[in-house]
Amino acid sequence: MSERTPAEPTAAATAESVPAEPEVRKTEFSPSRIATASFILFLLAYLLFLLSRVILPDQWEFALEVETEVASIELQPGVVTQWRIDGAILCTTGAVALEAVYALEDEALEGERAICGGRRWSGWRVDQLEQVLTIRGGSQARMALIDGRLSVSLRSEAPSLGEFEAVGAVGPVALGNAVNLIWELDSLPAALTFPFTGSTTLGRAVSWSDGAMLRSGSVAVFTADESADRRTQVDEAELMLGDQVTLAQASEAAVWPKGFIRVGEEKLLEVVAFGRADSLSIDRYGDSGYDFRPGFLARIASDPQIAFWGSMLIAY
């Protein structure tokens, strides 16, 4: 008997015995898919940017234009302020090196209409036209229209708040830490203006004991851009009779507010002030007060970066 040689497996049998390798599908990144993914990422980044610009504190430029009967100023420390005080009655406490010829008569310091407020005060009047008061920084000033007079009270924690000078006649003469300036409104110099750098409060809390208050005014808010041609108005608010508004330094490193005060034709204190802060305090009679700042939509509409990237997103 002859031996049989096993038959070699055919190609078909070999193919059936060896498992087939799984088919690998390659993902195709089409241009449309890439564009869609990029748009979604861009949109998410823009929304995060928009949220950060709205939530994080921002600085705004506030502009006040107010008519009031009372105003208070805390002058910036380290900065000297000079005011022309022509025609004023100068009331001081303590010894002042002014000649007796400028002293007021005793009758002017007594009674209900006592000009300087009592005998502990000394009253002086200098007739020279150019009179200058130099006020040291950190002093407090309060201006009020009372009984047909303009009264300016100056106080300081330092021994002397400044110097008085009548050009060509008196001084400079050192003053104490309490000075009052008084003018009769009927004889008030027309060009009398009080510029200042410092925190200011316009108006006062309404009270039965004192009728001096803020009469009217407005607040405008601008973007805090250094270039005037790019600064735009964001929001505004009208002030009501009896309001009290405070514009203060935003932080220790921030720029102090600036402005000026003058007596207008209506015999009211006309105040213009500018300051940079994240909000402005307004106290209203019968209300707890609030911090005025631009609203959500106003902040978005006024932000140039939001507008720029938003237009890029729309164009995309």
Side-chain angles (χ1 to χ4, degrees), residues 19-231:
E21 295 182 0
E23 182 180 357
V24 178
R25 295 184 179 181
K26 294 183 179 181
T27 302
E28 296 182 358
F29 292 97
S30 64
S32 61
R33 288 186 177 182
I34 295 175
T36 302
S38 300
F39 177 79
I40 293 175
L41 290 175
F42 192 9
L43 179 60
L44 290 175
Y46 178 76
L47 291 177
L48 290 174
F49 170 73
L50 178 64
L51 187 62
S52 67
R53 296 292 290 181
V54 172
I55 292 179
L56 293 177
D58 206 347
Q59 294 290 298
W60 305 97
E61 192 78 28
F62 289 90
L64 289 170
E65 191 170 356
V66 172
E67 288 187 337
T68 181
E69 294 169 332
V70 59
S72 299
I73 307 168
E74 180 185 349
L75 296 173
Q76 179 182 354
V79 175
V80 172
T81 300
Q82 288 190 314
W83 290 344
R84 286 280 298 270
I85 58 170
D86 301 354
I89 294 174
L90 180 68
C91 301
T92 64
T93 57
V96 177
L98 282 171
E99 297 180 17
V101 67
Y102 301 118
L104 295 181
E105 298 294 335
D106 290 343
E107 303 85 65
L109 306 176
E110 298 177 345
E112 295 181 358
R113 293 284 293 177
I115 293 178
C116 289
R119 277 200 166 275
R120 77 183 187 92
W121 293 87
S122 299
W124 313 86
R125 187 198 295 274
V126 180
D127 295 328
Q128 276 71 16
L129 293 179
E130 191 172 349
Q131 301 174 37
V132 179
L133 182 66
T134 301
I135 311 169
R136 291 188 174 90
S139 301
Q140 291 82 41
R142 184 180 185 273
M143 301 184 180
L145 299 173
I146 303 172
D147 297 332
R149 292 172 175 169
L150 168 61
S151 173
V152 179
S153 300
L154 295 162
R155 301 292 184 268
S156 176
E157 296 180 358
S160 173
L161 61 78
E163 297 176 335
F164 168 75
E165 179 180 7
V167 178
V170 178
V173 175
L175 302 172
N177 60 4
V179 171
N180 291 339
L181 304 172
I182 299 172
W183 289 267
E184 297 290 341
L185 289 180
D186 293 337
S187 57
L188 193 70
L192 202 63
T193 303
F194 306 98
F196 65 86
T197 300
S199 300
T200 179
T201 298
L202 306 176
R204 53 161 293 162
V206 176
S207 168
W208 64 268
S209 61
D210 191 346
M213 64 182 69
L214 184 146
R215 291 295 179 177
S216 64
S218 62
V219 181
V221 189
F222 297 85
T223 53
D225 197 302
E226 295 298 335
S227 55
D229 58 335
R230 294 172 56 188
R231 185 172 295 172

Side-chain angles (χ1 to χ4, degrees), residues 166-314:
V167 178
V170 178
V173 175
L175 302 172
N177 60 4
V179 171
N180 291 339
L181 304 172
I182 299 172
W183 289 267
E184 297 290 341
L185 289 180
D186 293 337
S187 57
L188 193 70
L192 202 63
T193 303
F194 306 98
F196 65 86
T197 300
S199 300
T200 179
T201 298
L202 306 176
R204 53 161 293 162
V206 176
S207 168
W208 64 268
S209 61
D210 191 346
M213 64 182 69
L214 184 146
R215 291 295 179 177
S216 64
S218 62
V219 181
V221 189
F222 297 85
T223 53
D225 197 302
E226 295 298 335
S227 55
D229 58 335
R230 294 172 56 188
R231 185 172 295 172
T232 56
Q233 183 171 333
V234 179
D235 205 349
E236 62 181 344
E238 292 295 323
L239 298 174
M240 297 176 59
L241 177 68
D243 281 353
Q244 178 179 286
V245 56
T246 300
L247 181 60
Q249 186 188 24
S251 64
E252 292 185 0
V255 177
W256 285 75
K258 294 185 177 182
F260 65 88
I261 300 176
R262 64 185 296 272
V263 178
E265 296 180 357
E266 301 297 326
K267 303 302 181 183
L268 293 172
L269 296 175
E270 297 178 345
V271 187
V272 174
F274 304 91
R276 182 171 296 188
D278 62 337
S279 64
L280 181 120
S281 174
I282 299 177
D283 294 321
R284 184 157 290 168
Y285 183 71
D287 197 354
S288 59
Y290 65 98
D291 290 332
F292 173 67
R293 58 168 57 89
F296 177 79
L297 294 179
R299 298 179 69 174
I300 292 177
S302 64
D303 194 316
Q305 296 188 45
I306 291 178
F308 172 77
W309 291 111
S311 63
M312 294 291 291
L313 182 63
I314 294 173

